[in-house]
Amino acid sequence: MKNFFSSLLGSLAALFIYSFLTIFIGIAIIIAAASGASKSETPEVKKNSILEVRLQGEIGERLSEEDAIMANFSFPGQDDVISKQGLNNILAAIKNAETDDNITGIYVRSDMFSAGFTTCKEIREALIRFKESGKYIVAYADTYTQKGYYIASAADKVYMNPMGMLDLHGLASNRTFFKKTLKKVGIEMTVVKHGKYKSAVEPYTSDKMSDASKQQTTQLLDVVWNIYCNDVAKSRNLTTEQINSYADEATAMLEQDVLVGYNLIDGLKYYDEMASELAQLSNRTEKQKLRRIITSKYAKTISKESEKEIKEKIALIYAEGAIDGNNSEGINSKKLADEIRKARNDEDIKAIVLRINSPGGSAYGSEQIWREVTLARKSKPFVVSMGDVAASGGYYIACAADTIVAQPSTITGSIGIFGMFPNFSGLTEKVGLSFDGVQTNKLSDFLNPTRPVSAEEKQMLQNYIDRGYNTFVSRCANGRQMSNKDIDAIAQGRVWSGTDAKEIGLVDQLGNLQDAIDLAAKMAKVEKYKIEELPEPESFIESLVKGLQSQARIGLLKMHYGASYQLYQYAERIKGMQGIQGIQARMPYDLEIY
C-alpha cells in the first residue's frame, strides 16, 4: 500500500509539472506568435532572388493556421528550423517562380524530413516542369536521405558536403506483431473480416506476415522502387541496373569521392563554396548577401489580385488522415460530408476536386462521405486526386467520382472490411478482477469484453461484415461501371499501386494534383477560375489549444509507458474498434516504406 501511494503521488507530481510547463510554454508561444503575426508583412521578393525548396520537417497536404504561424516561429538559436510544411505551398511556389522575373532559380536544400513517396514525386515533378522555364536548379545536402536524393536528383547539379553521406539502399517494410505480448498479458482478439489480403489484424493474431500479405507488399515495393530507379536514372544519365548495383553497396558506407565517380553527385562543396556557387548563379557578387526566400514565405507573395474579378471557382477539398479515427488531425466524416454538400450547392463552384490522402477507417463514416460524393457528381464534375495513400475507406470515398487520378506510386485499393473484438478475461483474472451481473435478454451484453466472444456472436458479426463487404463492392462496381464479380476479383482487401490500379480499372489515369485540377476545369468547360481550398483551416487559437492538449496527453503517456507506448497506441486503436460502429474499412496494415 505504501508503494502504491508513493507511485500515485509521483504520478500526480509529474502530471502537475508537465501540465504547468505545457501551459507556460503554450502561453509564451501564443504571445510570441501573436506578436510576430501582428508585425508580419508580405515578404518582398527582390531582383536576383533564389527560391529555396527546403526539405525539412513534416510535409503534409497543407498547413492549419496554427501550423502556418508556428512553422515560421522559432526559439532563439533555431531560426533555421522548419517543423511543418504544406505541399500546396511548395507546389504553388515552384509554379509561380517559373514566370517570376525576380527569381533566378531554385536551390533545393535537402535535410531530414518526413513525407510519403508520392508527396516526394509531386515535388519532383514540379521541379522538372520548372526546368522548362530555362532557369537553373541546384541541390545541396550534408546528408541525402533516400527520399531527399530522389527529389534532389531532378536538379541540374547535385552537390554534397565533403564529409556528407548519401543513403541509397532500396526499399523495405517491416511490421511489429503483438500476438505473444497480448497472450502474456491475458488479452485474446476475436477477428472477423472479409478479404484474404485484409491483414490489418495480423499484428494481433499472428507472429509473422501471411503469404498473402507478403505477396502484395512485395509487389507494391517493387512498383515504387522501379519508379524511383527509372526517375533517378533518367535524371542522372544512369541505368536502372546501375542504381540497383549502387543500392546493393549501401552507398551511405561509401567514400564521398566514390559517389562522384558513380555520377550520383556532381561535386563536393563546403557551405562557403556552395554560397559562392549560388552567388554566381544569381548574379550577386560574393560581397553581396544572397537573396534566398523559402517556399512558405514566397507563397505569401503570390498575388491573388488577378483573381478578384473571377467568379467561377473549382473547389479543392482535402481529405487527409484516418476516417473518424482517434487522431484529431484525421477526417471527420460529418464535417467532410458537409463541405462536399456546400460545394455542391454553391453555384459559383463549377467543379470539385477531392484530394485524398487516407488509409481509410470507419466503414460507417466512409459511407456517409460516399453518399455526398454521389450526389455532388450528379450536379457538377467531380474528380478525385490521390496522394500517398487512398486505400480501403480512402478508396470507398473515391469510387463514385467521375474520374480518379492517382500517381503511379499511390497506395490504393484495399477493398475490404474487418472488425476486432478484445476479450480481457485473461488479464482481469491475473489482476484479481471478477464480474457478475444480470440481463433481460440473451444478447443484452453483446460483445462484452470481459468474456470470450460466443460462437453465435461471431457468426452474427461475420454476417454483418459480409454484408458490409458486399455493400463496399457494390459501391465500387457502380462507380467504376464494373460488375460485382469483377470488383470482388481485385478486392479481397488487396492493396495496389497506382500503376497496377489503372491496369485493373480502379484508377482512370495517372497524374498529379495539378493534372486533376486541369481535368476538372476541362470537364466544367471553364478557362478562367480560382481555386477555393476547403475546409477552411481552424483558427490559430482553436488549433493551438487542441495541439497543446494532444501534446500534453502524449507526453504524459510516454512518460508513464516508456518503451511500451507503441503497444498502448495499438490498444487504443483496438478500443476504438469495439462495437458495430468500430467496423473498419482500413488499409490491410500500417505500411512504412523506408
Side-chain angles (χ1 to χ4, degrees):
M1 184 61 71
K2 181 179 179 181
N3 290 336
F4 169 77
F5 280 112
S6 297
S7 178
L8 177 62
L9 289 173
S11 297
L12 289 174
L15 175 62
F16 175 78
I17 294 171
Y18 197 92
S19 300
F20 174 78
L21 289 174
T22 300
I23 293 171
F24 177 79
I25 294 172
I27 292 173
I29 290 174
I30 291 174
I31 294 172
S35 175
S38 65
K39 296 178 181 178
S40 66
E41 298 178 355
T42 302
E44 180 184 359
V45 184
K46 297 180 180 180
K47 189 175 178 60
N48 294 332
S49 291
I50 300 171
L51 176 62
E52 181 176 339
V53 178
R54 192 181 303 169
L55 304 178
Q56 188 179 69
E58 178 185 348
I59 303 177
E61 289 291 333
R62 64 171 182 164
L63 298 184
S64 66
E65 186 177 333
E66 176 221 350
D67 288 337
I69 293 175
M70 297 307 295
N72 293 313
F73 170 82
S74 58
F75 290 103
Q78 294 184 320
D79 297 335
D80 205 37
V81 175
I82 298 176
S83 58
K84 289 187 177 181
Q85 299 190 68
L87 176 63
N88 59 339
N89 282 339
I90 295 174
L91 299 181
I94 295 172
K95 182 179 180 180
N96 193 76
E98 294 176 16
T99 55
D100 189 339
D101 293 336
N102 290 325
I103 297 294
T104 60
I106 287 179
Y107 173 46
V108 179
R109 179 71 169 90
S110 187
D111 205 331
M112 297 299 173
F113 69 103
S114 172
F117 183 77
T118 297
T119 294
C120 296
K121 187 167 179 61
E122 291 262 5
I123 297 172
R124 193 178 193 278
E125 289 177 348
L127 292 173
I128 290 175
R129 286 194 302 270
F130 175 86
K131 292 171 74 172
E132 295 176 3
S133 67
K135 299 179 180 181
Y136 63 85
I137 302 178
V138 293
Y140 182 78
D142 292 318
T143 297
Y144 283 107
T145 64
Q146 196 157 248
K147 290 178 180 176
Y149 181 72
Y150 176 69
I151 296 173
S153 65
D156 300 305
K157 295 291 183 180
V158 180
Y159 298 111
M160 188 177 74
N161 191 289
M163 294 301 291
M165 180 185 297
L166 192 163
D167 185 13
L168 190 65
H169 57 261
L171 302 181
S173 177
N174 290 315
R175 304 179 64 192
T176 303
F177 293 86
F178 299 98
K179 178 183 177 181
K180 293 179 180 178
T181 304
L182 294 174
K183 185 177 180 180
K184 284 184 178 181
V185 299
I187 299 176
E188 176 190 31
M189 297 302 300
T190 297
V191 173
V192 284
K193 64 174 183 174
H194 195 123
K196 67 177 182 178
Y197 292 97
K198 207 67 181 174
S199 49
V201 298
E202 286 184 3
Y204 311 97
T205 61
S206 180
D207 53 13
K208 63 180 181 179
M209 295 175 71
S210 65
D211 291 340
S213 181
K214 283 189 176 182
Q215 176 192 357
Q216 65 179 345
T217 306
T218 299
Q219 184 170 338
L220 182 62
L221 291 184
D222 286 344
V223 169
V224 174
W225 182 241
N226 285 336
I227 293 170
Y228 186 103
C229 291
N230 287 329
D231 288 348
V232 172
K234 184 177 180 180
S235 294
R236 299 300 304 170
N237 293 319
L238 297 168
T239 65
T240 57
E241 289 77 16
Q242 285 176 300
I243 299 296
N244 274 298
S245 175
Y246 300 157
D248 287 341
E249 293 184 56
T251 58
M253 301 293 103
L254 299 178
E255 292 185 11
Q256 293 79 5
D257 288 337
V258 174
L259 301 177
V260 177
Y262 282 172
N263 198 37
L264 293 172
I265 299 294
D266 289 298
L268 304 173
K269 292 180 181 290
Y270 288 103
Y271 286 112
D272 60 298
E273 294 173 313
M274 193 65 225
S276 297
E277 173 98 354
L278 292 173
Q280 184 177 358
L281 287 170
S282 59
N283 300 314
R284 304 283 288 172
T285 67
E286 292 192 18
K287 292 182 179 181
Q288 292 176 314
K289 185 177 180 181
L290 281 174
R291 291 171 174 171
R292 289 189 289 175
I293 182 168
I294 61 175
T295 51
S296 59
K297 292 183 179 179
Y298 181 67
K300 293 181 181 179
T301 71
I302 300 175
S303 175
K304 301 290 184 180
E305 288 295 322
S306 60
E307 296 184 355
K308 280 190 174 181
E309 302 302 321
I310 300 176
K311 187 178 181 181
E312 295 179 322
K313 298 180 288 187
I314 291 179
L316 175 55
I317 303 176
Y318 289 92
E320 184 174 17
I323 300 173
D324 290 334
N326 292 326
N327 190 339
S328 61
E329 296 181 356
I331 299 170
N332 181 309
S333 61
K334 184 180 184 305
K335 288 184 179 180
L336 181 57
D338 287 344
E339 291 294 340
I340 297 173
R341 187 183 307 113
K342 290 175 185 176
R344 166 167 60 92
N345 294 327
D346 188 333
E347 295 182 356
D348 292 335
I349 291 177
K350 303 303 179 183
I352 298 172
V353 175
L354 180 62
R355 174 68 170 184
I356 301 174
N357 198 347
S358 170
S362 166
Y364 175 84
S366 301
E367 170 77 6
Q368 310 316 304
I369 299 169
W370 166 87
R371 172 63 178 171
E372 286 301 326
V373 173
T374 304
L375 294 175
R377 177 185 177 180
K378 294 178 181 178
S379 62
K380 57 191 64 176
F382 199 110
V383 177
V384 160
S385 169
M386 293 180 168
D388 293 307
V389 56
S392 203
Y395 189 81
Y396 198 132
I397 67 177
C399 67
D402 289 304
T403 305
I404 298 176
V405 181
Q407 284 278 18
S409 54
T410 295
I411 301 171
T412 188
S414 187
I415 302 168
I417 294 180
F418 71 91
M420 291 193 299
F421 306 92
N423 165 25
F424 296 106
S425 60
L427 174 61
T428 57
E429 183 177 345
K430 286 184 177 183
V431 297
L433 291 176
S434 60
F435 302 89
D436 195 10
V438 297
Q439 58 191 68
T440 59
N441 295 81
K442 181 174 64 172
L443 296 174
S444 292
D445 68 339
F446 186 65
L447 296 180
N448 186 335
T450 64
R451 61 167 176 77
V453 175
S454 68
E456 182 179 11
E457 287 175 323
K458 188 169 184 178
Q459 186 58 54
M460 293 173 70
L461 287 169
Q462 189 62 59
N463 293 339
Y464 186 88
I465 291 289
D466 291 343
R467 290 198 303 272
Y469 176 78
N470 292 334
T471 298
F472 195 169
V473 167
S474 177
R475 301 295 187 237
C476 294
N478 290 336
R480 304 308 300 159
Q481 298 181 352
M482 298 168 67
S483 69
N484 284 23
K485 182 178 179 181
D486 288 339
I487 290 292
D488 181 59
I490 56 178
Q492 297 293 328
R494 179 165 182 171
V495 296
W496 302 92
S497 66
T499 298
D500 290 335
K502 184 177 183 298
E503 291 295 320
I504 60 178
L506 292 179
V507 166
D508 293 296
Q509 68 181 61
L510 300 178
N512 52 44
L513 176 57
Q514 188 59 51
D515 293 328
I517 294 173
D518 292 343
L519 176 61
K522 182 178 180 180
M523 292 169 65
K525 298 179 180 179
V526 295
E527 294 183 2
K528 290 186 177 181
Y529 59 88
K530 54 188 176 183
I531 300 295
E532 182 167 334
E533 293 190 347
L534 300 170
E536 292 184 4
E538 292 179 325
S539 70
F540 170 63
I541 297 299
E542 287 176 331
S543 55
L544 181 60
V545 169
K546 187 182 293 185
L548 288 172
Q549 289 175 337
S550 177
Q551 289 176 18
R553 179 175 177 272
I554 292 172
L556 287 170
L557 290 171
K558 286 184 175 180
M559 185 187 302
H560 182 72
Y561 289 103
S564 302
Y565 175 69
Q566 187 180 10
L567 180 59
Y568 169 82
Q569 284 183 302
Y570 276 93
E572 280 289 290
R573 182 180 296 176
I574 293 171
K575 187 175 72 173
M577 294 176 183
Q578 292 183 44
I580 296 303
Q581 295 295 332
I583 300 300
Q584 300 285 296
R586 191 180 176 97
M587 255 184 69
Y589 43 76
D590 291 322
L591 179 63
E592 182 179 356
I593 299 175
Y594 61 90

